[in-house]
Amino acid sequence: MKQPWQGENNEKLRRLLMDYYAVTGQRIGVFDADFHMLMAYPEPHGALCSWLRSSEKGDNHGMREAKRTGRPVVYRCHAGLLEVCVPLQEEGGRPAGFLMYGQLLYDEDLPGQWEDTRRRCADLFPDTDMLRQAFHQVRRMSAAYIEASSHILAACVGYIRLEQLMKGRQDLWEGMQSYIAQHLTAPFTLQDMADA
């Protein structure tokens, strides 16, 4: 089955990532159904994310929850930072992949969030000063902004899916018309046309 990030849709998703970044300034990535990253924009991770990825302790909690529910999920990663995961779904509701952005903090209670991150990362990064410096470079957003941006992203994904569905129906209709025109002079059955 054709995946939503292949071919023409690959360019649409890349454009969506670029537009999302242009509007929000937030890095965003596309993952397949097995949680492997396929593309991201912009390419490089932020300082803390790069540092965390080097620890090899990453988790897929958000993608697993989005896969289970079929809905966008806002959650805290293993380092205590906020991440948002929006599922890309195939026809029939099966997850085909995920759009994900993150490494965020809420714009309130920064000391509490710092303590949470420090506690979670104590065994990974014993250099508290470097961790604090990277933590304070993490982008901060309001809870309302994060929720709204996840809804907008889900709507964009829904639009791409609807466009795919409409194009598929148009292609089917055109294919049927073409088959009938090519076989007008010879007998054929609906099964013959369906097989073709």
Side-chain angles (χ1 to χ4, degrees):
M1 173 170 282
K2 186 174 182 178
Q3 300 299 327
W5 51 79
Q6 293 175 338
E8 177 185 336
N9 292 317
N10 185 42
E11 278 310 306
K12 288 183 181 182
L13 276 177
R14 184 166 295 285
R15 182 77 246 172
L16 176 64
L17 302 189
M18 292 170 69
D19 290 346
Y20 185 83
Y21 180 76
V23 171
T24 67
Q26 183 60 45
R27 181 181 189 275
I28 185 167
V30 180
F31 293 77
D32 69 15
D34 296 319
F35 315 135
H36 300 109
M37 182 176 280
L38 300 172
M39 74 173 85
Y41 189 85
E43 290 293 328
H45 290 285
L48 186 53
C49 185
S50 295
W51 199 17
L52 290 170
R53 286 180 173 274
S54 70
S55 75
E56 297 183 11
K57 189 190 172 183
D59 63 55
N60 298 319
H61 170 73
M63 285 185 269
R64 290 185 193 286
E65 184 66 11
K67 185 175 189 174
R68 186 183 69 75
T69 64
R71 295 190 175 140
V73 176
V74 178
Y75 70 102
R76 294 241 182 218
C77 74
H78 66 286
L81 303 180
L82 295 164
E83 295 187 338
V84 179
C85 183
V86 178
L88 296 166
Q89 297 190 328
E90 295 175 354
E91 201 169 324
R94 292 180 306 271
F98 307 90
L99 284 176
M100 193 165 177
Y101 66 95
Q103 302 296 323
L104 299 168
L105 295 168
Y106 286 126
D107 62 356
E108 54 190 42
D109 188 25
L110 201 57
Q113 292 179 94
W114 159 244
E115 278 306 311
D116 184 42
T117 295
R118 187 191 60 72
R119 180 183 50 76
R120 290 176 185 234
C121 294
D123 60 331
L124 297 174
F125 308 110
D127 188 338
T128 306
D129 290 335
M130 284 182 66
L131 179 61
R132 180 183 288 115
Q133 183 179 3
F135 174 86
H136 285 291
Q137 291 175 4
V138 173
R139 188 157 186 207
R140 296 172 213 155
M141 294 183 177
S142 71
Y145 187 94
I146 291 170
E147 184 176 354
S149 64
S150 73
H151 292 163
I152 290 169
L153 196 54
C156 291
V157 169
Y159 170 76
I160 290 172
R161 181 71 184 113
L162 179 62
E163 189 178 58
Q164 264 186 298
L165 184 61
M166 297 305 286
K167 185 178 183 317
R169 288 184 178 168
Q170 181 65 28
D171 291 346
L172 177 62
W173 177 246
E174 289 172 1
M176 289 169 57
Q177 287 178 320
S178 174
Y179 185 88
I180 292 168
Q182 290 173 10
H183 296 86
L184 199 54
T185 59
F188 67 87
T189 66
L190 288 178
Q191 186 62 50
D192 294 335
M193 186 168 66
D195 291 343

